[in-house]
Amino acid sequence: MSNAIVQIDNVTKRYRGLQQPAVSQLSLQITEGSVFGLLGPNGAGKSTLVMMMCGLLRPDAGSISVLGQSVSNNGDDIRKHIGVAPQEIALFPTLTAYENLFYFGRMYGLDSAIIKDRIEYYLRTFDLLEKGRRRVQTFSGGMKRRLNLIAALLHHPKLIILDEPTSGVDVQSRNMILDFLTQLASQKTTIIYSSHFLAEAERICTHLAILDLGKMVVQGAPKWVLEKNPGSHDLEQLFIKLTGKNIRD
Amino acid sequence: MKILATIYKEFLLLVRDPGGMALLFLMPLALVIVMALIQDAPFRDYQEIKLDVLFVNQDKDSLGIKIKESFKATPNINLIERNDTNVVRSLVNTGRFKAAIILPPHASQTLRQNSDELINQVLSNTGLSDKRSGALKIEKIRIRILFDPVIKANYKQVLSGAIEKMVTGVQAEWIIDELQNQLSENKPKIKKVKLDLSGLIEIQQNNESEKNTAGLELNSVQHNVPAWSMFAMFFILFPLAGNYIKEREEGSLLRLRLISGTQLPVVSGKFIFYWGICLVQFVLMMMVGIYIMPLLGLKSLTYGNNVGGIILTAVSVAIAATGFGTLVAVYFKTPQQALSFGSISVVILSAIGGVWVPVYVMPGILQHISNFSPLNWGLESFNDLFLRDAGTQLVLPNLTKLIVFGATTLTISIFINKSRTVS
């Protein structure tokens, strides 16, 4: 596919000391402008795959290219075009929202004026403008989660990777985040969306992949995936059907 | 710009952390003051021995009087006369007095007889007198010094040496007196001269300094202010490692790892910030040494004339301390590991480096090992500058070691940080 933003071919990654590979012979493509749901139970290999896409982990076998460049050789270049919102609230709690964003903007290499403009834009978009001068430690879970997302967007990345972006937030905040992501995808920004909230994935993802024990279980458009697996009325049913009911830690 | 941003971010994090501020600035100041006060007495022991000594004068004659007069002129010994030997023994063995001198009865008479004997022997040997023949009869005068068992060896040496010197002086005077008596016998026109033997030899004590200026004695303030300042500067690893690991655990460090080209600015920005903090700590502790110590009854810190050398030394120690702190912060993955290793290693490095007690009182093996402690390099440099008024050239080898140590630890830290970015 010519407009593949991420191309993963037969990638395997095994952590030292573990027999079971975290990711095993996995292949997938993510196209430009798509919202790609990366789903799977705990230990499925999602985080490992994300780290490999960002160039922070090297695959033992196979290849990954992002934005047409091999991650193995051009990790630093590729990271310039990736925005990652980790599952943790990766912010400095004693700094204000503004100070956090300004610092990360600087680290992205942006000019002061651009950073200020973007901070104002995103704080307004996510309804945080009035709280911009408050310390993050005083924020609610939803506010922190929105700010965590903004910090990944400041440099206008071509590819955004979101790990549980709506974890611990209320319905209103979740709605705001999902609407924003849908709007962002419509502007040709590619989003990789990792979540345990399958209803959310069903709502916003144009494509998805379900991983289990490091292997690809199924991938495709949500509607197509459900049609191919009769008997499952929604993604959650399909997820349980494909990955089982056993608790994963 | 990324480095500046990191420095500013670290500044904001610090000023909003009152506990961290106290740990960085108040605790070291308290440490320096407490250690200087505690060690003031032991340092006075080394250099300003002032002993209360009991004196039982059973002689009651001229030797006893001479000893009393001589001790009056001795600044380090205060003689207190008592009569009862048993009481004196009890006062010493219960530790209420550290020493007592017991001058036996008839000591003066015996000393005079001994002097006569010696002079007669000399004169008869040379044919100037025929007063004696036969073997020399010398009766030893047994002056006893009682010591409290806990007394330090150097006290014993000082007191024994002082008594020996006094008695020898008296003996010399009396020998010359007796010699004059014998030689002037039957010669009434010869007038006896009174000779003052004390002025024949003068011992000059100078604390040598490189510039031939009067060097200083090592006292509690001169030792403790630079020593514990360095100790506190090396403890920069606590906030540095704590902050670094906290950021790692909170995830902000992961976010930074995911931003292109941030490894060097993040590590070096932290390094520069905490290096600056070390320098501020040093300046504050110097101020305490100069202005606060005298208010507490201690001597004011004297820092010599080489301000440029002091700045260079402080900068070098700060580089070494921050480099070491950065390495500990980057290498260890949990606060427990980092802080346990960090605190123990700094205590060991400071102990062998001469922070706790001067290196010259350590066993030989430790004196050799201390050459490998960065705190020793720093402390030696400060001693050179403060006490010996040394030029920068003299401290340059130690400063080079400190800078190389700091640069090496920083380089390893950056390497580790980078290697952990991609694994």
Side-chain angles (χ1 to χ4, degrees), chain A residues 56 58 76 90 99 107 148, chain B residues 2 16 251 255 260 421 423:
Chain A
L56 299 186
R58 286 190 209 281
D76 222 33
E99 287 162 351
M107 300 313 278
N148 201 38
Chain B
K2 288 181 180 180
R16 289 172 191 172
R255 186 190 287 286
S260 170
T421 301
S423 52

Side-chain angles (χ1 to χ4, degrees), chain A residues 14-15 17-21:
Chain A
R14 180 182 276 110
Y15 290 109
L18 294 180
Q19 214 164 15
Q20 174 81 25

Side-chain angles (χ1 to χ4, degrees), chain B residues 212-229:
Chain B
N212 291 327
T213 52
L216 284 170
E217 278 184 349
L218 185 66
N219 59 41
S220 177
V221 172
Q222 293 298 136
H223 172 75
N224 282 300
V225 171
W228 293 101
S229 297

